[in-house]
Amino acid sequence: MDKIKKTGILLGAAVGGLVGGALSFTGKMTRVKFLDELGNSVMDSTLYTGGLVGEAASGAVRMAAGKLQKQPRKIHRGKKQVKRAGMGIVGNWVHNFHLVTDELGVIKDGVLEGDKEKIGAATQTLGKVVTVGFMTSGAIRVEPDAHGELKRKLRAARKKAKAEAAARKDGSSPSEKDGGEAPSDRPQEEAE
């Protein structure tokens, strides 16, 4: 039964290596980073899809064999494999939904801030998701562009700006709001 799963993985690797490898190679030769990343994403996605399909097929065959041989243990193991494959698909959908919504949020923030780099990076990631989805017709594995660090910095800057705005509104500094003293209000201790 595991041979079926391995066959699915090998087929995914073969298709991914052929299509994704060609894209990645073209990207490296032309120094177009987007094509290189797209090719890698296609390879990852087809490999992952092959694994899921192989897992589901192996579980289905194991369940059928268990029914024919009247072995409840095989049926149970087959059901577990099919469930695992199904959970992998659902998990991938959820991950991709979060990825798309995060990237749309980055685009919105980029538009509001007039940050073209943010908009471009998030748009490239969304473009990769759509392209990989069409090319692989299966599970999508895409890494966000290098603006992930920008997103963390943006969140920290927003949090700091909110704290400063709230402090100005209250007439205190952000550090006083957190329970500490403001750096400028600390008395200077003199050595006597």
Side-chain angles (χ1 to χ4, degrees):
M1 306 300 163
D2 289 332
K3 289 180 182 181
I4 296 171
K5 182 179 175 182
K6 289 177 183 174
T7 301
I9 292 170
L10 288 174
L11 286 173
V15 171
L18 186 66
V19 176
L23 276 173
S24 182
F25 179 74
T26 303
K28 285 179 181 161
M29 296 308 290
T30 60
R31 295 185 181 153
V32 177
K33 185 179 174 188
F34 180 78
L35 280 179
D36 184 22
E37 290 174 353
L38 183 64
N40 288 331
S41 294
V42 168
M43 285 190 284
D44 290 346
S45 297
T46 54
L47 196 91
Y48 186 66
T49 301
L52 290 175
V53 169
E55 180 91 18
S58 177
V61 169
R62 183 170 272 137
M63 281 176 25
K67 287 269 189 196
L68 292 173
Q69 297 169 354
K70 297 185 181 174
Q71 294 181 351
R73 192 170 181 195
K74 272 190 180 180
I75 296 169
H76 180 71
R77 286 182 65 201
K79 283 181 184 178
K80 283 177 100 173
Q81 279 187 295
V82 171
K83 280 183 185 177
R84 207 172 23 240
M87 291 305 294
I89 291 168
V90 170
N92 187 259
W93 286 344
V94 169
H95 168 76
N96 289 326
F97 176 78
H98 287 291
L99 177 65
V100 169
T101 55
D102 286 349
E103 298 307 304
L104 289 172
V106 170
I107 290 172
K108 178 195 68 115
D109 291 342
V111 168
L112 293 175
E113 296 168 7
D115 189 344
K116 291 179 182 179
E117 287 183 26
K118 241 187 239 184
I119 296 168
T123 303
Q124 279 189 347
T125 299
L126 287 177
K128 279 194 278 187
V129 169
V130 171
T131 306
V132 169
F134 280 126
M135 292 179 84
T136 62
S137 300
I140 300 170
R141 285 282 171 121
V142 173
E143 291 297 318
D145 279 319
H147 72 281
E149 183 64 30
L150 290 173
K151 284 171 58 175
R152 284 189 285 282
K153 288 180 182 178
L154 177 66
R155 286 184 188 136
R158 278 191 198 142
K159 193 173 183 179
K160 183 179 176 183
K162 282 182 182 179
E164 288 173 354
R168 280 193 301 273
K169 197 175 194 181
D170 294 346
S172 62
S173 72
S175 58
E176 286 176 336
K177 191 137 181 90
D178 295 336
E181 292 180 4
S184 59
D185 296 340
R186 289 190 190 139
Q188 295 288 333
E189 294 182 21
E190 294 181 23
E192 293 180 22

